Amino acid sequence: MTATPNPKPQPPPKATSATEKSPGAIAMGWLHTAKFLTTAPQLHFLPALDVPEIAFVGRSNAGKSTCINTLTQQKQLAFASKRPGRTQHINLFSLGKQGVMDAVLTDLPGYGYAAVPKQDKIRWQQVMANYLVTRENLKAIVLMCDPRHGMTELDEVLLDVIRPRVEEGLKFLVVLTKADKLTRAESTKALSIAKLQAGGGEVRLFSAPKRTGVEEVATLLWDWAHSEPKAIKDVPAPAAQPL
């Protein structure tokens, strides 16, 4: 009878501090500090800021408000209008712990909704294009896209507008929302197509109900906002200034 050899002793698991947090937990905690800062109907109403700004854009009904509220763990921070396409203000939210603002989230109006008058569509396309091209402290753009429909002509126009700034270093992320409505094969296909269309930008699948990609996107945004020393400043958060 052959004796069974004793198993090789395994090293004990590394001790982890109870206060040690994962990058995802740190990023989610940071995003949870989001507070309404101001709203503006035109660019000249926006305050001049010297902290990184991350803008969320996308077609109406692409899930932009849900994404922002999920990332910030706040149910009604970003307002989802019952009449898509009618919300025509740029909304800014400050980020930063202990009252010190170190970044800003910008919620740009949804675009492409058929019921919006053509004149309003053209006006808001011009406002958004000017914002994306001229906003000096803009650090990153997050484009919401429903992968069941793919990128539309208006999404492609937006990509053309920001391409020069992306080439100069502007960060860019395509968030494929409502990923829970796709099969695994459909998700893989949508991800591959979006990566080709993003032209060097990042692409992530995202689902609020299933929490798919939530911490991953949060970590990416935290990294982008804090990737330069000048991004972390003792800048007091200004009081909210609704118009």
Side-chain angles (χ1 to χ4, degrees):
M1 181 174 179
T2 304
T4 303
N6 292 328
K8 185 178 179 180
Q10 298 295 317
K14 292 183 179 180
T16 56
S17 169
T19 60
E20 187 177 347
K21 293 184 179 181
S22 68
I26 292 173
M28 292 297 290
W30 172 68
L31 284 168
H32 188 52
T33 67
K35 295 180 181 178
F36 175 77
L37 181 61
T38 190
T39 184
Q42 295 288 348
L43 295 184
H44 62 271
F45 287 104
L46 291 175
L49 300 170
D50 59 0
V51 295
E53 199 157 304
I54 300 173
F56 284 71
V57 299
R59 285 178 58 86
S60 300
N61 283 341
K64 180 163 55 67
S65 296
T66 298
C67 181
I68 293 174
N69 290 337
T70 300
L71 288 169
T72 59
Q73 305 119 79
Q74 300 185 42
K75 293 183 178 180
Q76 295 182 329
L77 183 71
F79 178 69
S81 174
K82 293 182 180 179
R83 301 171 68 190
R86 294 293 185 176
T87 304
Q88 298 189 351
H89 282 66
I90 301 172
N91 296 314
L92 270 59
F93 307 100
S94 66
L95 290 169
K97 295 186 176 182
Q98 299 178 343
V100 178
M101 182 171 68
D102 63 4
V104 167
L105 291 184
T106 301
D107 183 10
L108 292 171
Y111 53 83
Y113 195 67
V116 177
K118 183 176 180 180
Q119 185 176 356
D120 289 342
K121 287 183 184 179
I122 294 173
R123 181 174 69 87
W124 268 107
Q125 287 172 10
Q126 292 173 341
V127 170
M128 289 178 61
N130 288 337
Y131 168 87
L132 296 172
V133 170
T134 65
R135 188 67 170 167
E136 292 184 3
N137 63 315
L138 185 62
K139 183 66 178 287
I141 295 173
V142 182
L143 171 64
M144 306 289 117
C145 178
D146 186 335
R148 296 172 298 173
H149 308 303
M151 288 193 187
T152 65
E153 183 179 350
L154 286 175
D155 295 324
E156 295 288 352
V157 169
L158 183 143
L159 293 178
D160 287 337
V161 168
I162 67 172
R163 186 165 287 116
R165 294 198 69 176
V166 172
E167 292 173 352
E168 294 173 357
L170 181 72
K171 303 297 184 182
F172 178 55
L173 168 65
V174 176
V175 171
L176 300 178
T177 59
K178 308 178 184 180
D180 53 288
K181 299 183 183 297
L182 303 177
T183 64
R184 180 172 297 183
E186 289 171 339
S187 296
T188 301
K189 182 180 179 180
L191 201 58
S192 298
I193 293 174
K195 285 180 178 178
L196 292 174
Q197 295 174 313
E202 300 281 349
V203 181
R204 297 290 187 275
L205 290 166
F206 190 95
S207 168
K210 292 191 175 181
R211 308 293 296 175
T212 303
V214 175
E215 285 200 5
E216 193 176 358
V217 170
T219 302
L220 196 58
L221 300 185
W222 192 95
D223 288 343
W224 285 349
H226 299 88
S227 61
E228 297 177 8
K230 67 179 182 180
I232 305 176
K233 292 185 175 183
D234 291 338
V235 181
Q241 301 173 10
L243 297 176

